[in-house]
Amino acid sequence: MSILEELRPNGHARVYDLVQKSGVDVAEWEAGKVANAAANPNFCFNWAFVQHGRVVVLCLWHEEMTEVDGVVSYSWDVPLKGKHATVVRRIKQANEAIREAFESNLPLRIIVCSSANNGPDKPHRVAARCLDPEPWHVECRLESGAATLRRGAGATTADYEDQFDLAGRVGGPTERIERQISVFMRRANVRRHALNRSQGRCEYCGQRGFGMGSGKIYLETHHIIPLYENGEDSSENVIALCPNHHREAHYGEKGDEMRNEMLRKIATVMRATQEDGS
Ligand SMILES: [Zn+2]
Ligand SMILES: [Zn+2]
């Protein structure tokens, strides 16, 4: 039996119970003295539930999951256009939850739903649902909100570090960090994406970054086209490098050649990720 087949839900557990089981506080559901907290309409129809800094829970359709080589994925790309205002609110909230999971590298827990009444014009109705016992993670995410979600814990922040992680911890002047925090936060997800994409290897030469005392792997993140040359702060323009190649990219005589090579390499990797995410 395929993994996807094993994941098909057959029970009809309540969203409330599954969300609570995932580690999200459901106290809010009780607010407003509702007769039945589990059926609180402010929550029970939502697609996403967040315990900030801890976990994100998403409801996904089993029918839309794909399995390739034993890896289960979900292409999240829900257009807002033409949707009822209530649905737009749910989509935006889910997009926001996915962004938080991506940027803060939170585990995703998935409530797997199978649908009944699946005609083209009819709204999906949930026929069965269950909580996937395995965590998922956000593999990549675009500014549009589209994202590739993948089953399994994925590479976590804990595995790879770059010079910015180090500066934040070793304690650069706090004041400077505070002034830079908005820039820093904007870049965090992009850096994180490059580090996870690299799987701990220099994306230019393929060498493994060195192991740190903490057991993490060290690489440096670098804008291929610098921001001052109007390079984008995007996954396509950020590369994870071994310290040696990072210095060479900045100061080496082959800098321009390296730049073109890096752009080519990253474009190829990104294309491959998008293809197996769809
Ligand atoms: Zn290298
Ligand atoms: Zn650099």
Side-chain angles (χ1 to χ4, degrees), residues 49-186:
F49 309 88
V50 178
Q51 188 70 35
H52 294 297
R54 298 280 295 279
V55 66
V56 169
V57 181
L58 278 182
C59 299
L60 298 180
W61 294 111
H62 181 263
E63 291 82 354
E64 292 174 10
M65 294 177 178
T66 56
E67 180 179 345
V68 178
D69 296 333
V71 180
V72 176
S73 306
Y74 195 99
S75 274
W76 175 269
D77 190 7
V78 192
L80 299 172
K81 218 171 156 210
K83 300 280 192 335
H84 187 274
T86 332
V87 178
V88 167
R89 187 181 56 75
R90 280 177 205 145
I91 299 171
K92 285 186 170 171
Q93 192 217 7
N95 284 344
E96 200 44 40
I98 292 171
R99 189 179 62 78
E100 179 170 345
F102 183 52
E103 290 185 356
S104 307
N105 232 334
L106 302 179
L108 273 183
R109 296 301 305 272
I110 304 300
I111 296 177
V112 188
C113 305
S114 67
S115 59
N117 204 6
N118 214 348
D121 302 321
K122 294 180 179 169
H124 286 264
R125 244 191 29 229
V126 175
R129 65 168 76 86
C130 67
L131 182 67
D132 186 347
E134 281 234 13
W136 289 47
H137 67 281
V138 184
E139 177 76 10
C140 69
R141 180 183 177 275
L142 306 175
E143 268 321 302
S144 66
T148 303
L149 313 177
R150 203 150 278 171
R151 190 168 191 249
T156 61
T157 317
D159 294 333
Y160 312 115
E161 290 210 333
D162 68 3
Q163 70 273 31
F164 298 102
D165 290 317
L166 215 58
R169 223 192 20 252
V170 175
T174 321
E175 192 197 338
R176 201 191 72 214
I177 289 177
E178 272 171 17
R179 241 185 306 121
Q180 289 181 342
I181 204 126
S182 57
V183 180
F184 189 81
M185 292 307 284
R186 188 161 51 82

Side-chain angles (χ1 to χ4, degrees), residues 163-164 220-224 239 241 245-247 249-250:
Q163 70 273 31
F164 298 102
E220 295 183 355
T221 47
H222 166 73
H223 285 98
I224 305 174
I239 187 167
L241 295 174
H245 279 127
H246 190 200
R247 287 299 137 106
H250 281 274

Side-chain angles (χ1 to χ4, degrees), residues 202-207 241-246:
C202 173
E203 291 184 292
Y204 181 71
C205 69
Q207 275 281 356
L241 295 174
C242 65
N244 207 27
H245 279 127
H246 190 200

Side-chain angles (χ1 to χ4, degrees), residues 207-258:
Q207 275 281 356
R208 205 160 173 73
F210 63 77
M212 302 166 72
S214 58
K216 299 174 187 188
I217 293 174
Y218 184 81
L219 286 171
E220 295 183 355
T221 47
H222 166 73
H223 285 98
I224 305 174
I225 300 172
L227 296 174
Y228 61 79
E229 284 183 32
N230 294 322
E232 278 180 42
D233 193 42
S234 68
S235 300
E236 289 84 355
N237 190 43
V238 171
I239 187 167
L241 295 174
C242 65
N244 207 27
H245 279 127
H246 190 200
R247 287 299 137 106
E248 191 176 356
H250 281 274
Y251 307 116
E253 55 177 3
K254 289 196 308 177
D256 288 347
E257 246 170 78
M258 288 177 79

